[in-house]
Amino acid sequence: AAEAAVQADPRDVRAWRELAAATEAAGRSEAALEATVEALERDPFDVDTNIALLGLAPSAGRSDLVAEAHARLDTLLAPDSPRWDDVDALHEG
């Protein structure tokens, strides 16, 4: 089902995340890593996907991906980063 969803709409980040979860559950960690990277290419600032990458990349020896995910999460989760309600307030003003 997850592969069909990706084929139906390759731009769908959620479909890529579901494919990553399904392949990881099936013990196919390399395929899960590839699907996670695909999801991040579509939405590099998705917190859940970056966290998933931190779980998959080390076992594949991909310290480069770990560093990228840490950098993105540091930016996203920084105390001074804008929150969605702050962005909404800017558009209301």
Side-chain angles (χ1 to χ4, degrees), residues 1-92:
E3 289 180 16
V6 166
Q7 290 175 355
D9 185 3
R11 297 167 300 180
D12 186 354
V13 174
R14 180 177 293 169
W16 283 105
R17 285 195 320 250
E18 289 174 6
L19 180 59
T23 53
E24 183 179 20
R28 298 173 45 215
S29 59
E30 185 63 34
L33 178 60
E34 291 173 15
T36 301
V37 169
E38 289 289 338
L40 285 171
E41 286 181 7
R42 285 143 184 84
D43 184 2
F45 298 104
D46 182 78
V47 172
D48 293 333
T49 307
N50 277 286
I51 291 171
L53 184 62
L54 291 176
L56 293 167
S59 62
R62 295 295 308 269
S63 59
D64 58 321
L65 294 177
V66 171
E68 290 173 16
H70 274 294
R72 283 190 295 266
L73 287 169
D74 285 347
T75 299
L76 290 168
L77 302 176
D80 59 343
S81 67
R83 303 287 186 241
W84 286 114
D85 52 344
D86 295 335
V87 173
D88 290 341
L90 289 173
H91 290 290
E92 291 172 1

